[in-house]
Amino acid sequence: MNSVVLSSIRLDGDTQVRTSLDQQVVDQYAEQMLDGDKFPPVIVFHDGSDYWLADGFHRYFATKANAQESIEAEIKNGTLQDAQLYAYGANSRRGLSMSDDDSRNIITKMLKNPVWGRWTNAEIARHVGVSKMTVGRVKNSLPAQEGESTKKVYKNQFGKESVIETKNIGKKKGATPKTEIPDNQEEDQLSELTETISTLSSENQTLKDKIAVGQWDASDIEKVDIQDVVLELRENIRVLEIDNKALRESRDMYQNRNAEMIRTISGLQAKLKKLSK
């Protein structure tokens, strides 16, 4: 463990993820420190030049309030981004619980980051210490970025990838313009939509079951999100079922045309056979 001078620790690296510090907690920590209580060391990242505080802001300010010049710290080698990422997950491991606003703030920062924003909802949720539904809720509340892709790559059970346009998902019936689907992609997309519907139905039923038997162990923000998520899943299922039906009708049309062409060819072959005699 190391003792680091307070004045050498930087706080301006966007590593403070709380919307505000709790002054009462700072005061309480300061009193306990004067009484001789030992606190865990703060976490700082050293990039070769600066020390970035990643965890322990309440302890930092309590130490400063007691006019101490230095603080016990665990020093990790890393960049400012390393410190930020650590800070975003620090309170999922220990420390004071995050408020709903704090959780939203962290999730938003990660979603807007060019690297972490590419993580899945589940990966972000595990790092922050919330549910993936909460991450999805925050993501849906953010304005779409200019030039952001509305296409999503789906991989079926055989590992084959196909691209589906997602910008119209959730819109009312009739809002999605009909597009021609190449014959060689029909079966793949039909399989993808069927699998997606099955997955969404399963998730929807799981949520309803948990709510029904009172097994949902969630924070206030997650409880608020549950109803919206259920409604969203139902709407997505409805839209996907419509698309699935359209694909089946399109497939049937191609099959009918194919059968008609076979009959025509058979008739022409019979006529040709007669003429050749």
Side-chain angles (χ1 to χ4, degrees):
M1 212 58 58
N2 298 273
S3 181
V4 181
V5 176
L6 288 177
S7 60
S8 68
I9 299 177
R10 296 190 60 172
L11 312 179
D12 59 339
D14 199 26
T15 56
Q16 167 56 290
V17 295
R18 296 180 186 275
T19 55
S20 62
L21 289 179
D22 189 327
Q23 188 58 46
Q24 287 186 338
V25 172
V26 172
D27 295 340
Q28 178 185 342
Y29 283 5
E31 290 180 6
Q32 291 174 326
M33 288 176 181
L34 291 176
D35 288 340
D37 290 354
K38 296 295 183 181
F39 284 78
V42 298
I43 306 296
V44 297
F45 278 72
H46 187 234
D47 61 6
S49 175
D50 295 305
Y51 292 94
W52 302 98
L53 183 60
D55 181 32
F57 280 82
H58 286 93
R59 282 166 278 162
Y60 172 93
F61 282 103
T63 302
K64 189 174 183 178
N66 287 337
Q68 298 296 313
E69 295 184 354
S70 61
I71 189 170
E72 289 296 307
E74 179 181 344
I75 302 175
K76 297 179 178 290
N77 293 323
T79 65
L80 173 57
Q81 275 210 330
D82 293 329
Q84 291 171 343
L85 185 61
Y86 185 93
Y88 296 162
N91 284 85
S92 67
R93 297 182 287 269
R94 66 182 187 184
L96 298 174
S97 298
M98 290 288 182
S99 69
D100 293 347
D101 288 340
D102 294 336
S103 295
R104 284 195 181 97
N105 184 45
I106 298 172
I107 295 168
T108 299
K109 288 178 182 294
M110 294 195 69
L111 290 172
K112 290 184 176 181
N113 185 277
V115 176
W116 311 319
R118 293 199 295 268
W119 288 12
T120 65
N121 289 3
E123 289 172 325
I124 294 176
R126 282 194 296 271
H127 186 76
V128 178
V130 297
S131 74
K132 64 180 180 180
M133 291 186 303
T134 300
V135 177
R137 176 69 174 174
V138 175
K139 179 182 289 186
N140 291 336
S141 71
L142 297 178
Q145 299 295 317
E146 185 177 354
E148 181 179 359
S149 175
T150 58
K151 297 181 185 295
K152 187 168 185 178
V153 177
Y154 289 88
K155 185 177 291 186
N156 64 19
Q157 57 183 333
F158 305 108
K160 186 169 183 178
E161 293 185 349
S162 59
V163 180
I164 294 180
E165 177 62 67
T166 62
K167 65 181 178 181
N168 292 310
I169 295 295
K171 292 186 178 180
K172 298 298 182 181
K173 183 177 179 181
T176 305
K178 293 184 67 176
T179 56
E180 293 295 329
I181 302 173
D183 190 24
N184 62 355
Q185 294 183 14
E186 278 188 3
E187 294 299 328
D188 288 339
Q189 292 195 13
L190 182 61
S191 174
E192 293 297 333
L193 286 170
T194 301
E195 185 177 347
T196 302
I197 289 172
S198 176
T199 300
L200 289 173
S201 297
S202 177
E203 291 182 3
N204 195 11
Q205 187 59 51
T206 299
L207 279 172
K208 289 193 293 185
D209 290 345
K210 286 185 176 181
I211 296 170
V213 299
Q215 293 179 344
W216 186 255
D217 182 14
S219 65
D220 290 340
I221 182 175
E222 291 170 330
K223 291 177 181 178
V224 171
D225 289 343
I226 288 174
Q227 186 60 42
D228 289 338
V229 171
V230 171
L231 293 175
E232 181 181 352
L233 285 172
R234 288 177 179 170
E235 177 62 15
N236 286 345
I237 290 172
R238 186 188 71 80
V239 173
L240 287 170
E241 286 176 339
I242 292 172
D243 291 342
N244 199 0
K245 180 180 179 181
L247 280 170
R248 290 184 183 278
E249 291 175 349
S250 179
R251 180 196 61 185
D252 292 342
M253 180 187 67
Y254 279 111
Q255 289 177 340
N256 290 336
R257 287 181 180 177
N258 188 46
E260 184 180 347
M261 290 178 65
I262 292 174
R263 289 193 296 270
T264 300
I265 292 173
S266 297
L268 291 174
Q269 287 176 336
K271 289 181 180 180
L272 182 60
K273 188 175 181 180
K274 288 181 180 180
L275 290 175
S276 63
K277 288 182 179 179

